[in-house]
Amino acid sequence: MSGTDVIILRIGHRPERDQRVTTHVGLTARALGAQGMYLAAADKGVVQSIEDVVSRWGGDFFCQDTVKWRSCIKDWKAQGGMVVHLTMYGLNLPDVIGEIKTHKKILVIVGAEKVPGDIYGLADYNVAVTGQPHSEISSLALFLDHFYSGQEFRHEFPGSKIRIIPSKAGKQTEEQ
Ligand code: SAM
């Protein structure tokens, strides 16, 4: 969303089993106001699925695969960015979101399988979305909602070919 640079770093992706979940991480990030997703694995299928949505539904969300997570984090920090790792072992979201909101350039790391131990030390904040195990999609959605304080519902997606007209019943769309 305007004035912020929030990018997701997806690590631990296994193309043979995580394609759907990783695509949904990207789509959730896009819908809730983030600007892009780095994928620390080679998977053009995920990139293609997300780019297809962007071309139809607008905005300029990017997805880049084959990213090396360690250098991605290093480069991000060198550019003055801050790193949040979503993990149930971290500090609870409501206790740290106020501090996190003072930053404008944030890399949000989400895992798939067990994440490398180094990530906990490289992150500026290890953030728990409750101390219970659930999913990278739900934790990311709640993080972004708290970070943007609900303003993501007003986010615009310029250049869309299709737009939904909110309706009490039925489906209404407008083709551009
Ligand atoms: N078993 C894995 C581990 O021990 O790291 C966690 C796998 S979980 C299905 C995948 C990702 O979801 C985690 O890497 C984390 O980013 C996110 N996640 C799951 N539960 C979370 C929670 N309560 N708070 C924050 N993130 C969470």
Side-chain angles (χ1 to χ4, degrees), residues 9-11 14 21 25 85-93 108-116 120 126-140 143:
L9 171 59
R10 165 65 156 167
I11 60 172
R14 298 149 294 184
V21 172
V25 167
H85 168 219
L86 297 181
T87 166
M88 65 179 173
Y89 301 104
L91 299 174
N92 227 347
L93 178 65
V108 185
I109 303 175
V110 293
E113 52 179 356
K114 195 166 189 264
V115 305
Y120 293 83
N126 289 290
V127 177
V129 181
T130 79
Q132 301 297 316
H134 48 100
S135 127
E136 47 276 54
I137 300 170
S138 49
S139 54
L140 179 62
F143 174 80

Side-chain angles (χ1 to χ4, degrees), residues 57-100:
W57 292 89
D60 54 6
F61 187 88
F62 75 84
C63 180
Q64 184 184 333
D65 74 335
T66 338
V67 166
K68 293 193 182 342
W69 62 262
R70 204 179 281 280
S71 47
C72 178
I73 294 170
K74 193 171 160 227
D75 293 350
W76 186 264
K77 287 185 164 184
Q79 291 161 24
M82 202 265 282
V83 177
V84 169
H85 168 219
L86 297 181
T87 166
M88 65 179 173
Y89 301 104
L91 299 174
N92 227 347
L93 178 65
D95 298 332
V96 287
I97 194 67
E99 265 179 51
I100 293 173

